[in-house]
Structures are given as structure tokens and as C-alpha cells.
Amino acid sequence: MKKALFVGGTGTISSAAAHRALQEGWELTLLHRSASPVPEGAETLQADINDIDTVKQLLQGRRFDAVADFVAFQPQDILRDFSLFSGCTDQYLFISSASAYQKPMNCFRITESTPLVNPYWKYARDKAACEALLMELYRKNDFPVTIVRPSHTYGPGKVPVAIHGEKGCWQVLSRMLAGRPVLVHGDGLSLWTVTWNEDFARGFSGLMGNPLAVGEAVHITADESVTWNQIYSFIGKVLGKEPHLVHISSEMLCALRPSLTGTLLGDKAYSVSFDNHKIKRLVPGFSAKVPAWQGIARAVQSLLENPRLQLPDEAFDSWCDRTIQRYFSILTASP
């Protein structure tokens, strides 16, 4: 039986990948610091990955066919992982991000060779720096890296919305349920790709233990692209509410709330369409099965059925009201 170690394993992407690996017969160990529940059949090692001495003791004498780190974000995390896993795994999978791709793009059709240049978002630049370091370690030290770039991956309770506060998507849905206006960047007609987490997991599991994936970077996304207006229409259909959308330019929204700069000007403000030929070549038979309308319906329904996930966000709610009021006051004041 092949053995895998996941660093993390309880998030939207990693939990789906963990379930899939177990279904496919992997002997799976999860290394994470929280006491979150893990899939049945997985071994748990509870430790902080940054506690190097403790982790080395826990992993002493172990060897894995694949190690995947879902919580590495900066180059120092890569150096840490290299010291921990070099020589004890046949493959190291790094979870990067499609947000690292060029912004603005020269071509909206994205391939793995699209440049990694994002001046708007430090998170994306850090991921690109991690990739560069890993490829250097691969070339100079034969570190068996596979780079995986998810795009907007979502799952049960994680509804894809354009703009939200620190507590997630619920406040946006709450506004829609109450018939209140919801902010959308631009005219809502830019194309976006959302990928159901179980679809991502099927592609990811096909890369695990795959010798042809070593030394490669590959994104795993749905083929479908939909507009943001369509996304909100899908949400509204499940809620039984016609969404009242207020469209404001990304530049204005970022000026009013600078924390949005990365996620808007560094990501969602641009139309994207992903070329998935590479993942389909490496994992024959792979394609995303869940269309956006269906996945969004599942995500919304699971959120409605789980009060624990319905986190009010008064600060974000107030900001939305102020922003919309300010926008319309500017419009009415214009000659």
C-alpha cells in the first residue's frame, strides 16, 4: 500500500483530497496542529509543522511515496520542508495558487506557461517565489517536486462570492435573503472559474505517486467559465431571492477598502479561462464533473443547513451599506 503524508488536511481543498486518497487505497497520515476531525481511516500526528524537532521525532524512520504540504506559503516554509522531507519521499507536492499568474494577463486563456507576475497581491508573489525555489531545489538537489495550482476551489458551506468580509460568505447570503443590495465588482460580466473541491481532489489524487508529474507545474480547475452575475443568479435561485446587485468598479472598491486589492485587482477583476490539457494528459480521464450551478446549489444548501457556519459579520455589513450609499450619492451628485 502506498503511503502519503498531508501537512494540513482539514481545509476545503485538503479535506477533499484526503477523502479521495483514502478511497483510492492510500495509507494516509495527516500532520496538523489543530484538533479538527479527520477522515476515518487516516492517521493523525498533531504538531505544528514549524516545530522542527517535534516533527522530526514524529517522522523518524518513516518514508512516504508522496508528501503534500497544504500550508506552505513563503520560501522559508519550502526550506523547512526540504530539510524535513528530502530523502524520505518520492514526491513532494506543493499547493501553489492560480492567483500567481500574470495580472493583468496578456491572454485570458491561461496555460501553465503563463508568466507568474502579480504586482497586486503579496500572497500570490510569495507562492511564485516558493515555486521558483522549489524548481531550483529540483534542478540542483533532485528534490522530487510537483507544483499544483488550484484556482477558486469551493465546497460544502463555502459559497463562491466576489466580495466578503473576514468571516466568510454568510453575510453576503444574509443580505440576499433580506432583499438587501449586494456588491459586485465591475459590471459582473467578467468570466470566472470555480472548481468543486471533489473535482479538484480527483485530479490531485491522479498526480500523487505519478512519476510523470515530478518536475512539473500543473493547474487543476474546471473547464467552465461563468460570469459573476451568473454566480449570484445561481445563489439567488437556491435562496428563492432575485439578487439586487450593485456594480462598482474594482478600482473604486479597492480605494474604499484597500484589503480588497489582492483579491480583486490581483485576481477576480479579470476574466479567466483555464487550459486543462496538461492535467488531462497526466491524469487520463480527468475532467471536472460538477458544473457551477450545481456545485453552488450544494454549497448554499449545506450552509443553510449548518447554523454553525452562519457567521454574522456586522463590520462588513456596515461597510457594504456605507459603500453603496456613498456610490449612489456620487451618482446623483454627478451633472
Side-chain angles (χ1 to χ4, degrees), residues 193-251:
T193 298
V194 292
T195 307
W196 186 247
N197 63 349
E198 292 174 354
D199 280 335
F200 173 89
R202 288 190 303 104
F204 187 78
S205 65
L207 295 176
M208 290 174 58
N210 185 339
L212 298 179
V214 174
E216 298 288 347
V218 56
H219 52 238
I220 306 175
T221 79
D223 294 313
E224 175 189 40
S225 294
V226 294
T227 69
W228 280 103
N229 288 344
Q230 286 177 305
I231 288 173
Y232 280 92
S233 176
F234 298 153
I235 296 171
K237 186 173 182 179
V238 183
L239 297 178
K241 295 287 185 178
E242 184 69 28
H244 176 197
L245 305 181
V246 176
H247 297 97
I248 302 179
S249 73
S250 297
E251 290 78 7

CSV table of all heavy atoms in Angstrom, one decimal, residues 193-251:
chain,number,residue,atom,x,y,z
A,193,THR,N,-13.8,31.1,-13.0
A,193,THR,CA,-13.8,29.7,-13.0
A,193,THR,C,-13.9,29.2,-11.5
A,193,THR,O,-13.0,29.6,-10.7
A,193,THR,CB,-12.6,29.1,-13.7
A,193,THR,OG1,-12.6,29.4,-15.0
A,193,THR,CG2,-12.6,27.5,-13.6
A,194,VAL,N,-14.9,28.5,-11.1
A,194,VAL,CA,-15.0,27.9,-9.8
A,194,VAL,C,-14.9,26.4,-9.9
A,194,VAL,O,-15.5,25.8,-10.9
A,194,VAL,CB,-16.3,28.3,-9.1
A,194,VAL,CG1,-16.2,29.8,-8.7
A,194,VAL,CG2,-17.5,28.0,-9.9
A,195,THR,N,-14.2,25.7,-9.0
A,195,THR,CA,-14.0,24.3,-9.1
A,195,THR,C,-14.4,23.6,-7.8
A,195,THR,O,-14.0,24.0,-6.7
A,195,THR,CB,-12.5,24.0,-9.3
A,195,THR,OG1,-12.0,24.7,-10.5
A,195,THR,CG2,-12.3,22.5,-9.6
A,196,TRP,N,-15.4,22.7,-7.9
A,196,TRP,CA,-15.8,21.9,-6.8
A,196,TRP,C,-14.7,21.1,-6.2
A,196,TRP,O,-13.9,20.5,-6.9
A,196,TRP,CB,-17.0,21.0,-7.2
A,196,TRP,CG,-17.7,20.3,-6.1
A,196,TRP,CD1,-17.7,18.9,-5.9
A,196,TRP,CD2,-18.5,20.9,-5.1
A,196,TRP,NE1,-18.4,18.6,-4.7
A,196,TRP,CE2,-19.0,19.8,-4.2
A,196,TRP,CE3,-18.9,22.2,-4.8
A,196,TRP,CZ2,-19.8,20.0,-3.1
A,196,TRP,CZ3,-19.7,22.4,-3.7
A,196,TRP,CH2,-20.2,21.3,-2.9
A,197,ASN,N,-14.6,21.1,-4.9
A,197,ASN,CA,-13.4,20.5,-4.2
A,197,ASN,C,-13.2,19.0,-4.5
A,197,ASN,O,-12.1,18.5,-4.6
A,197,ASN,CB,-13.4,20.8,-2.7
A,197,ASN,CG,-14.5,20.2,-1.9
A,197,ASN,OD1,-15.5,19.7,-2.5
A,197,ASN,ND2,-14.4,20.2,-0.6
A,198,GLU,N,-14.3,18.3,-4.7
A,198,GLU,CA,-14.1,16.9,-5.0
A,198,GLU,C,-13.6,16.7,-6.4
A,198,GLU,O,-12.9,15.7,-6.7
A,198,GLU,CB,-15.5,16.2,-4.8
A,198,GLU,CG,-15.9,16.1,-3.4
A,198,GLU,CD,-17.3,15.5,-3.2
A,198,GLU,OE1,-18.0,15.3,-4.3
A,198,GLU,OE2,-17.8,15.3,-2.1
A,199,ASP,N,-13.9,17.6,-7.3
A,199,ASP,CA,-13.3,17.5,-8.7
A,199,ASP,C,-11.8,17.8,-8.6
A,199,ASP,O,-11.0,17.1,-9.2
A,199,ASP,CB,-14.0,18.6,-9.6
A,199,ASP,CG,-15.3,18.1,-10.1
A,199,ASP,OD1,-15.5,16.9,-10.2
A,199,ASP,OD2,-16.2,18.9,-10.5
A,200,PHE,N,-11.4,18.8,-7.8
A,200,PHE,CA,-10.0,19.1,-7.7
A,200,PHE,C,-9.3,17.8,-7.1
A,200,PHE,O,-8.2,17.4,-7.6
A,200,PHE,CB,-9.8,20.2,-6.7
A,200,PHE,CG,-8.3,20.4,-6.4
A,200,PHE,CD1,-7.5,21.3,-7.2
A,200,PHE,CD2,-7.8,19.8,-5.3
A,200,PHE,CE1,-6.2,21.4,-6.8
A,200,PHE,CE2,-6.4,20.0,-5.0
A,200,PHE,CZ,-5.6,20.8,-5.7
A,201,ALA,N,-9.9,17.2,-6.1
A,201,ALA,CA,-9.3,16.0,-5.5
A,201,ALA,C,-9.1,14.9,-6.4
A,201,ALA,O,-8.1,14.2,-6.3
A,201,ALA,CB,-10.2,15.6,-4.3
A,202,ARG,N,-10.0,14.7,-7.4
A,202,ARG,CA,-9.8,13.6,-8.3
A,202,ARG,C,-8.5,13.9,-9.2
A,202,ARG,O,-7.8,12.9,-9.5
A,202,ARG,CB,-11.0,13.5,-9.2
A,202,ARG,CG,-12.2,12.9,-8.5
A,202,ARG,CD,-13.4,12.5,-9.4
A,202,ARG,NE,-13.8,13.6,-10.2
A,202,ARG,CZ,-13.6,13.8,-11.5
A,202,ARG,NH1,-12.8,12.9,-12.1
A,202,ARG,NH2,-14.1,14.8,-12.1
A,203,GLY,N,-8.4,15.1,-9.6
A,203,GLY,CA,-7.1,15.4,-10.4
A,203,GLY,C,-5.9,15.3,-9.5
A,203,GLY,O,-4.9,14.8,-9.9
A,204,PHE,N,-6.0,15.8,-8.3
A,204,PHE,CA,-4.9,15.8,-7.4
A,204,PHE,C,-4.4,14.3,-7.1
A,204,PHE,O,-3.2,14.0,-7.1
A,204,PHE,CB,-5.2,16.5,-6.1
A,204,PHE,CG,-4.1,16.7,-5.1
A,204,PHE,CD1,-3.1,17.7,-5.4
A,204,PHE,CD2,-3.9,15.9,-4.0
A,204,PHE,CE1,-2.1,17.8,-4.5
A,204,PHE,CE2,-2.9,16.0,-3.1
A,204,PHE,CZ,-1.9,17.0,-3.4
A,205,SER,N,-5.4,13.5,-6.8
A,205,SER,CA,-5.0,12.1,-6.5
A,205,SER,C,-4.3,11.4,-7.7
A,205,SER,O,-3.5,10.5,-7.5
A,205,SER,CB,-6.3,11.3,-6.1
A,205,SER,OG,-7.2,11.2,-7.2
A,206,GLY,N,-4.7,11.8,-8.9
A,206,GLY,CA,-4.0,11.3,-10.1
A,206,GLY,C,-2.6,11.7,-10.2
A,206,GLY,O,-1.8,11.1,-10.9
A,207,LEU,N,-2.2,12.8,-9.6
A,207,LEU,CA,-0.9,13.3,-9.6
A,207,LEU,C,0.0,12.6,-8.5
A,207,LEU,O,1.2,12.5,-8.6
A,207,LEU,CB,-0.8,14.8,-9.4
A,207,LEU,CG,-1.4,15.7,-10.5
A,207,LEU,CD1,-1.4,17.2,-10.1
A,207,LEU,CD2,-0.7,15.5,-11.8
A,208,MET,N,-0.7,12.2,-7.4
A,208,MET,CA,0.0,11.6,-6.3
A,208,MET,C,0.7,10.3,-6.8
A,208,MET,O,0.0,9.4,-7.3
A,208,MET,CB,-0.9,11.3,-5.1
A,208,MET,CG,-1.4,12.6,-4.4
A,208,MET,SD,-2.6,12.2,-3.2
A,208,MET,CE,-1.8,11.1,-2.1
A,209,GLY,N,1.9,10.1,-6.5
A,209,GLY,CA,2.6,8.9,-6.9
A,209,GLY,C,2.9,8.8,-8.4
A,209,GLY,O,3.3,7.7,-8.8
A,210,ASN,N,2.6,9.8,-9.1
A,210,ASN,CA,2.7,9.8,-10.6
A,210,ASN,C,4.1,10.3,-11.0
A,210,ASN,O,4.4,11.5,-10.9
A,210,ASN,CB,1.6,10.7,-11.2
A,210,ASN,CG,1.6,10.6,-12.7
A,210,ASN,OD1,2.6,10.2,-13.4
A,210,ASN,ND2,0.5,11.0,-13.3
A,211,PRO,N,5.0,9.4,-11.5
A,211,PRO,CA,6.4,9.8,-11.8
A,211,PRO,C,6.4,10.9,-12.9
A,211,PRO,O,7.4,11.6,-12.9
A,211,PRO,CB,7.1,8.5,-12.1
A,211,PRO,CG,6.0,7.6,-12.6
A,211,PRO,CD,4.8,8.0,-11.7
A,212,LEU,N,5.4,10.9,-13.8
A,212,LEU,CA,5.4,11.8,-14.9
A,212,LEU,C,5.1,13.3,-14.4
A,212,LEU,O,5.4,14.2,-15.1
A,212,LEU,CB,4.4,11.4,-15.9
A,212,LEU,CG,4.7,10.1,-16.6
A,212,LEU,CD1,3.6,9.8,-17.6
A,212,LEU,CD2,6.0,10.0,-17.3
A,213,ALA,N,4.6,13.4,-13.2
A,213,ALA,CA,4.3,14.7,-12.6
A,213,ALA,C,5.5,15.3,-11.9
A,213,ALA,O,5.4,16.5,-11.6
A,213,ALA,CB,3.1,14.6,-11.7
A,214,VAL,N,6.5,14.6,-11.6
A,214,VAL,CA,7.7,15.2,-10.9
A,214,VAL,C,8.4,16.1,-11.8
A,214,VAL,O,8.7,15.9,-13.0
A,214,VAL,CB,8.6,14.0,-10.5
A,214,VAL,CG1,9.9,14.6,-9.8
A,214,VAL,CG2,7.9,13.1,-9.4
A,215,GLY,N,8.7,17.3,-11.3
A,215,GLY,CA,9.4,18.3,-12.0
A,215,GLY,C,8.4,19.2,-12.8
A,215,GLY,O,8.8,20.1,-13.6
A,216,GLU,N,7.1,19.0,-12.6
A,216,GLU,CA,6.1,19.7,-13.4
A,216,GLU,C,5.2,20.6,-12.5
A,216,GLU,O,5.1,20.4,-11.3
A,216,GLU,CB,5.2,18.7,-14.1
A,216,GLU,CG,5.8,17.8,-15.1
A,216,GLU,CD,6.3,18.5,-16.4
A,216,GLU,OE1,5.8,19.6,-16.6
A,216,GLU,OE2,7.0,17.9,-17.1
A,217,ALA,N,4.7,21.7,-13.2
A,217,ALA,CA,3.7,22.5,-12.5
A,217,ALA,C,2.4,22.4,-13.3
A,217,ALA,O,2.4,22.3,-14.6
A,217,ALA,CB,4.1,24.0,-12.6
A,218,VAL,N,1.3,22.2,-12.6
A,218,VAL,CA,0.0,21.9,-13.3
A,218,VAL,C,-1.1,22.6,-12.5
A,218,VAL,O,-1.1,22.5,-11.3
A,218,VAL,CB,-0.2,20.4,-13.5
A,218,VAL,CG1,-0.1,19.7,-12.1
A,218,VAL,CG2,-1.5,20.1,-14.2
A,219,HIS,N,-2.0,23.2,-13.2
A,219,HIS,CA,-3.2,23.7,-12.5
A,219,HIS,C,-4.4,22.6,-12.7
A,219,HIS,O,-4.4,21.9,-13.6
A,219,HIS,CB,-3.7,25.1,-12.9
A,219,HIS,CG,-3.8,25.3,-14.4
A,219,HIS,ND1,-3.1,26.3,-15.1
A,219,HIS,CD2,-4.6,24.7,-15.4
A,219,HIS,CE1,-3.5,26.3,-16.4
A,219,HIS,NE2,-4.4,25.3,-16.5
A,220,ILE,N,-5.3,22.7,-11.7
A,220,ILE,CA,-6.4,21.8,-11.7
A,220,ILE,C,-7.7,22.6,-11.5
A,220,ILE,O,-7.9,23.1,-10.4
A,220,ILE,CB,-6.3,20.7,-10.6
A,220,ILE,CG1,-5.0,19.9,-10.6
A,220,ILE,CG2,-7.5,19.7,-10.6
A,220,ILE,CD1,-4.8,19.0,-9.4
A,221,THR,N,-8.4,22.8,-12.6
A,221,THR,CA,-9.6,23.6,-12.5
A,221,THR,C,-10.7,23.0,-13.3
A,221,THR,O,-10.5,22.1,-14.1
A,221,THR,CB,-9.4,25.1,-13.0
A,221,THR,OG1,-9.4,25.1,-14.4
A,221,THR,CG2,-8.0,25.6,-12.5
A,222,ALA,N,-11.9,23.5,-13.2
A,222,ALA,CA,-13.0,23.2,-14.1
A,222,ALA,C,-12.7,23.8,-15.5
A,222,ALA,O,-11.9,24.8,-15.6
A,222,ALA,CB,-14.3,23.7,-13.6
A,223,ASP,N,-13.3,23.3,-16.5
A,223,ASP,CA,-13.2,23.9,-17.9
A,223,ASP,C,-14.1,25.0,-18.1
A,223,ASP,O,-13.9,25.9,-18.9
A,223,ASP,CB,-13.5,22.8,-18.9
A,223,ASP,CG,-12.4,21.7,-18.9
A,223,ASP,OD1,-11.2,22.0,-18.9
A,223,ASP,OD2,-12.8,20.5,-19.0
A,224,GLU,N,-15.2,25.0,-17.3
A,224,GLU,CA,-16.3,26.0,-17.4
A,224,GLU,C,-15.9,27.4,-16.9
A,224,GLU,O,-15.2,27.5,-15.9
A,224,GLU,CB,-17.5,25.5,-16.7
A,224,GLU,CG,-18.7,26.4,-16.7
A,224,GLU,CD,-19.8,25.8,-15.7
A,224,GLU,OE1,-19.4,25.3,-14.7
A,224,GLU,OE2,-20.9,25.9,-16.1
A,225,SER,N,-16.3,28.4,-17.6
A,225,SER,CA,-16.2,29.8,-17.1
A,225,SER,C,-17.6,30.4,-17.1
A,225,SER,O,-18.3,30.3,-18.1
A,225,SER,CB,-15.2,30.6,-17.9
A,225,SER,OG,-13.9,30.2,-17.8
A,226,VAL,N,-17.9,31.1,-16.0
A,226,VAL,CA,-19.2,31.8,-15.9
A,226,VAL,C,-19.0,33.2,-15.4
A,226,VAL,O,-18.0,33.5,-14.9
A,226,VAL,CB,-20.2,31.0,-14.9
A,226,VAL,CG1,-20.5,29.6,-15.4
A,226,VAL,CG2,-19.5,30.9,-13.5
A,227,THR,N,-20.0,34.1,-15.6
A,227,THR,CA,-19.9,35.4,-15.2
A,227,THR,C,-20.2,35.5,-13.7
A,227,THR,O,-20.9,34.7,-13.2
A,227,THR,CB,-20.8,36.4,-16.0
A,227,THR,OG1,-22.1,36.1,-15.6
A,227,THR,CG2,-20.6,36.2,-17.5
A,228,TRP,N,-19.8,36.6,-13.1
A,228,TRP,CA,-20.1,36.8,-11.7
A,228,TRP,C,-21.6,37.1,-11.5
A,228,TRP,O,-22.2,36.6,-10.5
A,228,TRP,CB,-19.3,38.0,-11.1
A,228,TRP,CG,-18.0,37.5,-10.7
A,228,TRP,CD1,-16.8,37.8,-11.4
A,228,TRP,CD2,-17.6,36.7,-9.6
A,228,TRP,NE1,-15.7,37.2,-10.8
A,228,TRP,CE2,-16.2,36.5,-9.6
A,228,TRP,CE3,-18.3,36.2,-8.5
A,228,TRP,CZ2,-15.5,35.8,-8.7
A,228,TRP,CZ3,-17.7,35.5,-7.6
A,228,TRP,CH2,-16.3,35.3,-7.6
A,229,ASN,N,-22.2,37.7,-12.5
A,229,ASN,CA,-23.7,37.9,-12.5
A,229,ASN,C,-24.4,36.5,-12.5
A,229,ASN,O,-25.4,36.3,-11.7
A,229,ASN,CB,-24.2,38.7,-13.7
A,229,ASN,CG,-23.8,40.2,-13.5
A,229,ASN,OD1,-23.4,40.7,-12.5
A,229,ASN,ND2,-23.9,40.9,-14.6
A,230,GLN,N,-23.9,35.6,-13.2
A,230,GLN,CA,-24.5,34.2,-13.2
A,230,GLN,C,-24.3,33.5,-11.9
A,230,GLN,O,-25.2,32.9,-11.4
A,230,GLN,CB,-23.8,33.4,-14.4
A,230,GLN,CG,-24.3,33.8,-15.8
A,230,GLN,CD,-23.5,32.9,-16.8
A,230,GLN,OE1,-22.3,32.9,-16.9
A,230,GLN,NE2,-24.3,32.3,-17.7
A,231,ILE,N,-23.1,33.7,-11.3
A,231,ILE,CA,-22.8,33.1,-10.0
A,231,ILE,C,-23.9,33.6,-9.0
A,231,ILE,O,-24.5,32.8,-8.2
A,231,ILE,CB,-21.4,33.4,-9.5
A,231,ILE,CG1,-20.4,32.6,-10.4
A,231,ILE,CG2,-21.2,33.1,-8.0
A,231,ILE,CD1,-18.9,32.9,-10.1
A,232,TYR,N,-24.1,34.9,-8.9
A,232,TYR,CA,-25.1,35.4,-8.0
A,232,TYR,C,-26.5,35.0,-8.3
A,232,TYR,O,-27.4,34.8,-7.5
A,232,TYR,CB,-25.0,36.9,-7.9
A,232,TYR,CG,-23.8,37.3,-7.0
A,232,TYR,CD1,-22.6,37.6,-7.5
A,232,TYR,CD2,-24.0,37.4,-5.6
A,232,TYR,CE1,-21.5,37.9,-6.7
A,232,TYR,CE2,-22.9,37.8,-4.8
A,232,TYR,CZ,-21.7,38.0,-5.4
A,232,TYR,OH,-20.6,38.4,-4.5
A,233,SER,N,-26.8,34.8,-9.6
A,233,SER,CA,-28.1,34.3,-10.0
A,233,SER,C,-28.3,32.9,-9.5
A,233,SER,O,-29.4,32.5,-9.1
A,233,SER,CB,-28.2,34.3,-11.5
A,233,SER,OG,-29.4,33.8,-12.0
A,234,PHE,N,-27.2,32.0,-9.6
A,234,PHE,CA,-27.3,30.7,-9.1
A,234,PHE,C,-27.6,30.6,-7.6
A,234,PHE,O,-28.4,29.9,-7.1
A,234,PHE,CB,-26.0,29.9,-9.4
A,234,PHE,CG,-25.6,29.7,-10.8
A,234,PHE,CD1,-24.3,29.6,-11.2
A,234,PHE,CD2,-26.6,29.7,-11.8
A,234,PHE,CE1,-24.0,29.5,-12.6
A,234,PHE,CE2,-26.3,29.6,-13.2
A,234,PHE,CZ,-25.0,29.5,-13.6
A,235,ILE,N,-26.9,31.5,-6.9
A,235,ILE,CA,-27.1,31.6,-5.4
A,235,ILE,C,-28.5,32.0,-5.1
A,235,ILE,O,-29.2,31.4,-4.3
A,235,ILE,CB,-26.1,32.6,-4.8
A,235,ILE,CG1,-24.6,32.2,-5.0
A,235,ILE,CG2,-26.4,32.8,-3.3
A,235,ILE,CD1,-23.6,33.2,-4.6
A,236,GLY,N,-29.0,33.1,-5.8
A,236,GLY,CA,-30.3,33.6,-5.6
A,236,GLY,C,-31.4,32.5,-5.9
A,236,GLY,O,-32.4,32.5,-5.2
A,237,LYS,N,-31.2,31.7,-6.9
A,237,LYS,CA,-32.2,30.7,-7.2
A,237,LYS,C,-32.4,29.7,-6.0
A,237,LYS,O,-33.5,29.3,-5.7
A,237,LYS,CB,-31.7,29.9,-8.4
A,237,LYS,CG,-32.8,28.9,-8.9
A,237,LYS,CD,-32.4,28.3,-10.3
A,237,LYS,CE,-33.5,27.4,-10.8
A,237,LYS,NZ,-33.1,26.8,-12.1
A,238,VAL,N,-31.3,29.3,-5.4
A,238,VAL,CA,-31.3,28.4,-4.2
A,238,VAL,C,-32.0,29.1,-3.0
A,238,VAL,O,-32.8,28.5,-2.3
A,238,VAL,CB,-29.9,27.9,-3.8
A,238,VAL,CG1,-30.1,26.9,-2.6
A,238,VAL,CG2,-29.3,27.2,-5.0
A,239,LEU,N,-31.7,30.4,-2.9
A,239,LEU,CA,-32.3,31.2,-1.7
A,239,LEU,C,-33.7,31.6,-2.0
A,239,LEU,O,-34.4,32.0,-1.1
A,239,LEU,CB,-31.5,32.4,-1.5
A,239,LEU,CG,-30.0,32.3,-1.1
A,239,LEU,CD1,-29.3,33.6,-0.9
A,239,LEU,CD2,-29.9,31.5,0.2
A,240,GLY,N,-34.2,31.5,-3.3
A,240,GLY,CA,-35.5,31.9,-3.6
A,240,GLY,C,-35.6,33.4,-3.6
A,240,GLY,O,-36.7,34.0,-3.4
A,241,LYS,N,-34.5,34.1,-4.0
A,241,LYS,CA,-34.4,35.5,-4.0
A,241,LYS,C,-33.8,36.0,-5.3
A,241,LYS,O,-32.7,35.5,-5.7
A,241,LYS,CB,-33.6,36.1,-2.8
A,241,LYS,CG,-34.3,35.8,-1.4
A,241,LYS,CD,-35.5,36.7,-1.2
A,241,LYS,CE,-36.0,36.5,0.2
A,241,LYS,NZ,-37.2,37.3,0.5
A,242,GLU,N,-34.4,37.0,-5.9
A,242,GLU,CA,-33.7,37.7,-7.0
A,242,GLU,C,-32.6,38.6,-6.5
A,242,GLU,O,-32.9,39.5,-5.7
A,242,GLU,CB,-34.7,38.5,-7.8
A,242,GLU,CG,-34.2,39.1,-9.1
A,242,GLU,CD,-33.8,38.1,-10.1
A,242,GLU,OE1,-34.4,37.0,-10.2
A,242,GLU,OE2,-32.9,38.4,-11.0
A,243,PRO,N,-31.4,38.4,-6.8
A,243,PRO,CA,-30.3,39.2,-6.2
A,243,PRO,C,-30.4,40.7,-6.7
A,243,PRO,O,-30.6,40.9,-7.9
A,243,PRO,CB,-29.0,38.5,-6.7
A,243,PRO,CG,-29.4,37.7,-7.9
A,243,PRO,CD,-30.8,37.3,-7.7
A,244,HIS,N,-30.2,41.6,-5.8
A,244,HIS,CA,-30.1,43.0,-6.1
A,244,HIS,C,-28.7,43.4,-6.1
A,244,HIS,O,-28.1,43.6,-5.0
A,244,HIS,CB,-30.9,43.8,-5.1
A,244,HIS,CG,-30.8,45.3,-5.2
A,244,HIS,ND1,-31.1,46.2,-4.3
A,244,HIS,CD2,-30.4,46.0,-6.3
A,244,HIS,CE1,-31.0,47.4,-4.7
A,244,HIS,NE2,-30.5,47.3,-5.9
A,245,LEU,N,-28.1,43.4,-7.3
A,245,LEU,CA,-26.6,43.6,-7.4
A,245,LEU,C,-26.3,45.1,-7.7
A,245,LEU,O,-26.9,45.7,-8.5
A,245,LEU,CB,-26.1,42.8,-8.6
A,245,LEU,CG,-26.4,41.3,-8.5
A,245,LEU,CD1,-25.7,40.6,-9.7
A,245,LEU,CD2,-25.9,40.6,-7.2
A,246,VAL,N,-25.3,45.6,-6.9
A,246,VAL,CA,-24.8,46.9,-7.1
A,246,VAL,C,-23.4,46.8,-7.7
A,246,VAL,O,-22.5,46.3,-7.0
A,246,VAL,CB,-24.8,47.7,-5.8
A,246,VAL,CG1,-24.1,49.1,-6.1
A,246,VAL,CG2,-26.2,47.9,-5.3
A,247,HIS,N,-23.2,47.2,-8.9
A,247,HIS,CA,-21.9,47.1,-9.6
A,247,HIS,C,-21.1,48.3,-9.4
A,247,HIS,O,-21.5,49.4,-9.8
A,247,HIS,CB,-22.1,46.8,-11.1
A,247,HIS,CG,-22.8,45.5,-11.4
A,247,HIS,ND1,-24.2,45.5,-11.6
A,247,HIS,CD2,-22.4,44.3,-11.4
A,247,HIS,CE1,-24.6,44.2,-11.8
A,247,HIS,NE2,-23.5,43.5,-11.7
A,248,ILE,N,-19.9,48.1,-8.9
A,248,ILE,CA,-18.9,49.2,-8.6
A,248,ILE,C,-17.6,48.8,-9.2
A,248,ILE,O,-17.2,47.6,-9.0
A,248,ILE,CB,-18.9,49.6,-7.1
A,248,ILE,CG1,-20.2,50.0,-6.6
A,248,ILE,CG2,-17.8,50.7,-6.9
A,248,ILE,CD1,-20.2,50.4,-5.1
A,249,SER,N,-16.8,49.7,-9.8
A,249,SER,CA,-15.6,49.3,-10.4
A,249,SER,C,-14.6,48.7,-9.3
A,249,SER,O,-14.6,49.1,-8.1
A,249,SER,CB,-14.9,50.5,-11.0
A,249,SER,OG,-14.4,51.4,-10.1
A,250,SER,N,-13.8,47.8,-9.7
A,250,SER,CA,-12.8,47.2,-8.8
A,250,SER,C,-11.9,48.3,-8.2
A,250,SER,O,-11.5,48.2,-7.0
A,250,SER,CB,-12.0,46.2,-9.5
A,250,SER,OG,-12.8,45.1,-10.0
A,251,GLU,N,-11.5,49.2,-9.1
A,251,GLU,CA,-10.6,50.3,-8.6
A,251,GLU,C,-11.2,51.1,-7.5
A,251,GLU,O,-10.5,51.4,-6.5
A,251,GLU,CB,-10.2,51.2,-9.8
A,251,GLU,CG,-9.3,50.6,-10.8
A,251,GLU,CD,-10.0,49.6,-11.8
A,251,GLU,OE1,-11.3,49.6,-11.7
A,251,GLU,OE2,-9.4,49.0,-12.6
